[in-house]
Amino acid sequence: MDEGVSRRVRPVVGASWQRAEQARLDPERIVAPLLLDGPGLEDARRSHPIAAALPVIRQLLVREAEQDSRVVVAVGDARGRLLWVEGDPELRRQAEGMLFVPGAAWAEGDVGTSAPGTALAIGGGVQIRGDEHYAFEVKPWSCTAVPVRDPETGEIIGVLDVTGGDQVAAPHVLPMLEATVAAVERELLIERLRESSARGRSRRERPRPAIPSLRILGRDTGELTGTNGRSGTLSSRHSELLTLLAWHREGLSAERLAELVYGDAASTVTLRAEMVRLRRVLASLAPELGPLARPYRLAAPLETDIGGVVDLQRRGAHRAAVAAYGGGPLPGSAAPGLEELRDDVVARLREALLESGSADLLIAWGETERGAFDDEIWRAALHALPPHSPRRAQVVARLLALES
C-alpha cells in the first residue's frame, strides 16, 4: 500500500486494504460471489445456530429498519456468506446491484474492506464509512457490523450488519449493534441449555456447509469448496467437466459429455482418462461428489454461482442477476458445452429483462459484452424511458450505431 494513502485512513481500514491488496483484489472489478442459492441457501439457514435467535434480531433491529428507514439488516455466517438480508425494501433493491443479497459472500477475501468482512477478520465490531470500502462499487454505502460468537466456546459463528447511508455509521450505532449481539448470544445460550438434556454436548460443534460449492463466474478456472472446508483451484478441463456435470444433474452419456467438452463424441477414451484424474482431485476436496459413471453424473448436489444467477432471475432479482453474471461462467473456455450453458443463461436473463420493462435494467444489460449488440434490448430500453429522459440520447445513439 502507498504510504501516503495509509496515513490518510484509520489504522483498521489501512490494515484491511493491505489484506485486500495481498489477495490481489481489483477494486474496480470486485463482485461478491454467490456461493449459496436455492436448496443450498435454505439448508445453510436451517442448520445455522443464529436461526434460533432471528426473532430477537427482528425485534431489536429489523422492526425499526423496514419501510422508509433507509437501513438494511444482514446476518452472515462465519465465512462471510449472507444468510438473511432484511429491512427497507427500496434500499434492499438498490443493494442488489452490488450483490448484497442472501447467498453472496462478503468476507474480506471476496470483496475487500466492508463492515461484515472486516468485523470477521479482526474479530470485533467495526464501522466502515463510504470511501473506506475497498471496492469502488460499495463506496456510496456505509455499514456497521459486529461478530456473533458461540456463547460457550467464544468461537465466531457469524456476523450482524447494518448497511445504508452515513447514518448507519454514526457513533451510537456500534454500541446499539453490540447490545443486540449480546442479546443474540444470550438467546443462543438459553436455547442451548433447553436442548442440552436431549441432544448432549455434541451440539456445540459449529455446523459445516451441507453442500459443496463451485465458483466459475468471471474465472477461467473453478474454485471448489467441499463440505470438509477445503478449497482448491481446478484445472481448466476439470472446471469444465465439473461445471457441466453440475448443470446437467440428470447425467450425461460418455459420448454426449465428450461432445460437450471436446466437440467430438468419439473422444470417449480421452474423456475417461480425464474423469479418472478428476476423481482423484475430488477425493481430497469433495469426495462426496464422486463422480459416478453410466451415465456420468455427480453423486451429491453441487452448488454453483451460475446456478445462483438463475435462482436470482427466477426470484425476480434481475438487477442482482445481471451484476452477478459478470463475464459469465469460465469465459476463457471454448468448450461447446460451456457455450451452450452461457447461451442458455443469457437467454433466460434476456427474456426476464424484456418482460420487466425496466429501462435501467435493459440499459445495464445492453452495456455488458453480451448485450452490447442486441438491438432488441436497446429498442426496449428506448420504449421504457420517459419521453424527456436525458438517457434517451444515449440509447438512440447506440441504436444508430447498431444500424450503421
Side-chain angles (χ1 to χ4, degrees), residues 130-170:
D131 285 341
E132 291 180 331
H133 287 98
Y134 190 77
F136 287 176
E137 189 177 20
V138 191
K139 290 182 181 294
W141 301 78
S142 292
C143 44
T144 297
V146 176
V148 180
R149 295 180 179 273
D150 184 288
E152 293 182 272
T153 68
E155 180 182 15
I156 292 176
I157 58 173
V159 64
L160 186 57
D161 170 87
V162 291
T163 289
D166 293 341
Q167 80 279 10
V168 303

Side-chain angles (χ1 to χ4, degrees), residues 68-348:
D68 300 324
S69 69
R70 307 302 294 167
V71 173
V72 170
V73 177
V75 180
D77 65 11
R79 294 171 56 189
R81 302 177 303 182
L82 304 184
L83 301 182
W84 294 273
V85 179
E86 301 180 4
D88 187 313
E90 177 58 31
L91 203 64
R92 278 190 286 127
R93 282 191 288 271
Q94 295 176 25
E96 287 177 0
M98 62 175 180
L99 268 295
F100 197 81
V101 295
W106 278 76
E108 276 195 347
D110 297 305
V111 298
T113 307
S114 73
T118 302
L120 289 172
I122 67 175
V126 67
Q127 296 184 298
I128 303 297
R129 304 173 181 88
D131 285 341
E132 291 180 331
H133 287 98
Y134 190 77
F136 287 176
E137 189 177 20
V138 191
K139 290 182 181 294
W141 301 78
S142 292
C143 44
T144 297
V146 176
V148 180
R149 295 180 179 273
D150 184 288
E152 293 182 272
T153 68
E155 180 182 15
I156 292 176
I157 58 173
V159 64
L160 186 57
D161 170 87
V162 291
T163 289
D166 293 341
Q167 80 279 10
V168 303
H172 72 276
V173 176
L174 182 55
M176 177 190 73
L177 206 57
E178 289 172 337
T180 302
V181 167
V184 167
E185 292 172 352
R186 282 196 300 272
E187 179 65 20
L188 294 179
L189 181 57
I190 292 170
E191 184 69 17
R192 187 78 52 80
L193 293 172
R194 289 179 186 140
E195 296 177 349
S196 62
S197 59
R199 303 193 181 185
R201 298 189 64 84
S202 63
R203 297 282 298 177
R204 306 318 187 241
E205 294 184 3
R206 186 178 70 184
R208 293 176 175 174
I211 299 178
S213 62
L214 177 67
R215 293 169 56 182
I216 52 174
L217 287 173
R219 307 169 56 99
D220 290 335
T221 55
E223 182 78 13
L224 177 65
T225 301
T227 58
N228 55 14
R230 296 178 182 172
S231 296
T233 300
L234 305 176
S235 69
S236 299
R237 186 64 77 200
H238 290 170
S239 300
E240 293 167 347
L241 285 166
L242 204 53
T243 297
L244 291 169
L245 291 173
W247 191 253
H248 298 276
R249 295 184 180 181
E250 72 284 0
L252 295 162
S253 68
E255 292 76 14
R256 178 57 176 156
L257 186 54
E259 183 180 12
L260 292 175
V261 174
Y262 302 104
D264 180 7
S267 299
T268 54
V269 174
T270 304
L271 171 68
R272 290 190 179 99
E274 200 62 64
M275 291 298 293
V276 170
R277 288 188 281 270
L278 173 61
R279 192 173 286 109
R280 290 172 183 161
V281 171
L282 294 180
S284 62
L285 290 176
E288 65 270 36
L289 293 178
L292 306 175
R294 299 181 183 178
Y296 282 119
R297 63 199 185 279
L298 296 179
L302 172 63
E303 295 288 346
T304 65
D305 48 6
I306 189 63
V309 169
V310 174
D311 186 62
L312 286 169
Q313 175 261 311
R314 287 173 179 162
R315 287 188 279 161
H318 303 319
R319 188 182 302 277
V322 170
Y325 183 80
L330 303 178
S333 171
L338 265 295
E339 293 176 355
E340 285 185 15
L341 190 160
R342 294 183 201 111
D343 289 343
D344 184 2
V345 175
V346 166
R348 298 187 198 198

